[in-house]
Amino acid sequence: MNSTLRSAEPRVRRSGGLTRDLRRDLYAVGAAVLLVTAAVLIGHHIQHTRHSLRVNWPPLLGSWGPHLGPGTPAAVVVAVATAGYGPALAARLPWRALLAAAWGTATAWILSLALIDGWQRGVAGRLTSRHEYLQAVGRFHDVPAALRDFTHHILLESPDNWPAHVAGHPPAATLTFVLLDRIGLRGGGWAGTWCVAVGATACVAVLVAVRALADEGLARRAAPFLVLAPAAVWMGTSADAYFAAVAAWSMALLALAVTGRWTGSGALGSGLLLGLTCYLSYGLTLFALIGAAVLLLGRGRVRERPELLVLLLAGAAVVPTAFTLAGFDWWEAYRLLVTRYRQGAGGIRPYGYWVWANLACLVLITGLATAAGLRRAGATLRHRRGESLARPDGPHRSGADARLALLVAAALLALLVADLSGMSKAETERIWLPFALWLLPSCAFLTRPRVWLAAQAALALLLNHLLLTGW
């Protein structure tokens, strides 16, 4: 394990290279701070003069409201413990124990941040508001009939139009909460607990993928940053946290399949989850870009066993086939959603502001450490573009940092496509959670992890205590 951990250490030039890298990291952080500052100042001006942004505290959907809550002490304890001891524990724990600890700590971090707003506002009431999924559970007594009739209630002028989040997603999202209700886990408390517990596994899935595609040392260095992400402010309690976990596990299983750990079962399972992902959120079809990067990194195994692609595609066809046979037309629903989006706030919010202010939201959910990590990932790709990116089958770890950088770059590309599409204007601090988690492993390239982790935790605590977030 020692050799694995050494391979994860950032490579620096002896003649002052470390100083130059840190200085460039600070330049990246400074640029990120300027972007957020500009988005706040310009956004407030636009909102106060034109009222067209449709958010109270641009670029975030929330309002100013400094407060403390029952989750405050727990959140501070988790933050201090993870920043102080996380890197050392991540380096020493057995791999399976590390994954369990990551899930447990991420769950505690997400839940404690949510409880800063109290149980009702922070957890139980999140998914019961007039825009949310639980408002529609009672309309799914006859699931096949509801699926056949789903597209007839998407547009605002349609009779009994769906709440915003129900209309804005394929029906697998709402069906999740319908199934919870059917098995007796009714109400916002159970729904919120589901999203927190399942959403927290997303960091485990990303770690599994990074270990398979890059190396274990990089995964261990990334672990505390995935656990202590500022994104946790919006993962508790949001259905997008649940979506993030499903999408992340689809990529993790694919990574295991193309690196020879779980070959056939991994490819089939990845396809099943990828198909489900596309029926949880239309925008998550962009995970195909991350999947393409995974296949590129494992192309050696794919060439040896082309049946992996067949199993992947077969698995990916299961959920779409089931919904289509049940009467739900994905393409028609998406076409109607685009129309509804333009009928509502999406048609009023100015593209010229949100196309760059969304990136300021991205800074806030991934933290300043990720800005520095992305700079290092970009530098890694530039310096190592001549090296093979294929994942070696043996113990040789050369190029692990380049493989990780490529994976991160694929996630960033997916986000940029979503941004340019114009279908993500505001609320991206929630909508982009599934993609944002794949940027956090870039923090594995950073030195002085405790300092960066402290900055990540401080940002999350400030945001959750100063703003009343909502969606």
Side-chain angles (χ1 to χ4, degrees):
M1 185 177 75
N2 289 338
S3 61
T4 299
L5 294 178
R6 282 196 299 271
S7 71
E9 291 294 331
R11 294 170 174 82
V12 295
R13 299 181 184 88
R14 291 183 180 181
S15 57
L18 181 60
T19 302
R20 286 198 299 274
D21 276 346
L22 285 175
R23 186 167 62 248
R24 290 167 183 166
D25 290 345
L26 293 177
Y27 290 156
V29 168
V33 171
L34 287 175
L35 177 64
V36 172
T37 302
V40 172
L41 296 178
I42 295 173
H44 275 79
H45 173 73
I46 294 174
Q47 180 63 13
H48 290 320
T49 57
R50 304 177 193 173
H51 308 288
S52 60
L53 298 188
R54 295 297 182 95
V55 293
N56 292 327
W57 206 87
L60 300 176
L61 183 65
S63 56
W64 182 258
H67 62 288
L68 299 174
T72 297
V76 172
V77 169
V78 173
V80 171
T82 305
Y85 301 101
L89 285 174
R92 295 170 185 167
L93 284 175
W95 177 249
R96 291 186 180 180
L98 172 61
L99 296 182
W103 175 77
T105 308
T107 301
W109 179 233
I110 296 168
L111 189 58
S112 61
L113 287 172
L115 290 175
I116 291 172
D117 295 336
W119 170 255
Q120 183 58 37
R121 190 183 190 283
V123 179
R126 288 287 192 184
L127 296 168
T128 61
S129 72
R130 64 189 182 92
H131 298 300
E132 282 286 1
Y133 304 96
L134 266 63
Q135 290 293 323
V137 166
R139 294 171 61 178
F140 278 77
H141 293 301
D142 185 341
V143 172
L147 292 178
R148 290 192 299 270
D149 200 40
F150 192 87
T151 56
H152 298 152
H153 304 286
I154 292 177
L155 297 179
L156 282 176
E157 66 268 19
S158 61
D160 298 322
N161 62 77
W162 297 117
H165 287 191
V166 177
H169 295 81
T174 307
L175 279 179
T176 300
F177 300 104
V178 172
L179 291 174
L180 287 175
D181 182 82
R182 294 283 175 87
I183 64 175
L185 304 181
R186 299 182 178 88
W190 282 114
T193 301
W194 165 266
C195 291
V196 170
V198 176
T201 70
C203 72
V204 178
V206 176
L207 288 176
V208 169
V210 171
R211 181 183 186 237
L213 296 170
D215 73 6
E216 186 174 319
L218 286 170
R220 288 176 177 275
R221 288 180 61 84
F225 290 96
L226 281 158
V227 166
L228 209 59
V233 172
W234 294 274
M235 293 183 77
T237 307
S238 165
D240 292 86
Y242 156 54
F243 304 161
V246 175
W249 280 110
S250 73
M251 295 297 102
L253 290 177
L254 183 59
L256 292 173
V258 301
T259 54
R261 289 168 170 81
W262 289 5
T263 49
S265 59
L268 184 62
S270 173
L272 284 168
L273 290 181
L274 189 57
L276 175 59
T277 296
C278 295
Y279 277 72
L280 290 171
S281 174
Y282 297 104
L284 294 186
T285 54
L286 289 173
F287 255 78
L289 293 173
I290 303 177
V294 174
L295 291 173
L296 175 63
L297 293 171
R299 62 187 181 275
R301 178 70 61 175
V302 174
R303 279 196 296 263
E304 292 173 4
R305 298 193 58 181
E307 68 271 18
L308 291 176
L309 287 177
V310 177
L311 290 169
L312 175 66
L313 294 174
V318 171
V319 172
T321 299
F323 273 95
T324 301
L325 291 176
F328 172 71
D329 187 334
W330 192 97
W331 292 102
E332 174 67 6
Y334 179 69
R335 183 186 68 80
L336 293 171
L337 166 64
V338 172
T339 301
R340 172 154 177 173
Y341 185 72
R342 291 169 181 166
Q343 289 176 329
I348 299 171
R349 289 168 171 159
Y351 180 85
Y353 171 78
W354 288 110
V355 73
W356 61 271
N358 284 336
L359 301 180
C361 290
L362 184 62
V363 171
L364 293 173
I365 62 176
T366 58
L368 297 178
T370 305
L374 289 175
R375 185 209 68 78
R376 293 206 180 206
T380 296
L381 285 178
R382 288 196 304 272
H383 295 155
R384 302 178 184 277
R385 59 180 176 270
E387 296 183 7
S388 173
L389 290 173
R391 176 68 166 84
D393 295 326
H396 181 58
R397 301 285 179 172
S398 176
D401 47 0
R403 294 192 296 274
L404 175 58
L406 179 66
L407 185 64
V408 169
L412 183 59
L413 175 61
L415 276 172
L416 292 177
V417 172
D419 190 31
L420 293 173
S421 73
M423 289 296 291
S424 297
K425 289 186 287 187
E427 302 182 56
T428 49
E429 64 270 22
R430 171 184 58 82
I431 298 169
W432 284 0
L433 285 174
F435 301 103
L437 293 179
W438 291 88
L439 303 184
L440 294 165
S442 66
C443 297
F445 296 123
L446 299 175
T447 57
R448 304 182 182 180
R450 289 181 179 84
V451 175
W452 290 111
L453 284 167
Q456 297 286 87
L459 176 61
L461 290 169
L462 282 172
L463 287 170
N464 218 143
H465 282 93
L466 295 178
L467 298 177
L468 295 169
T469 57
W471 40 84

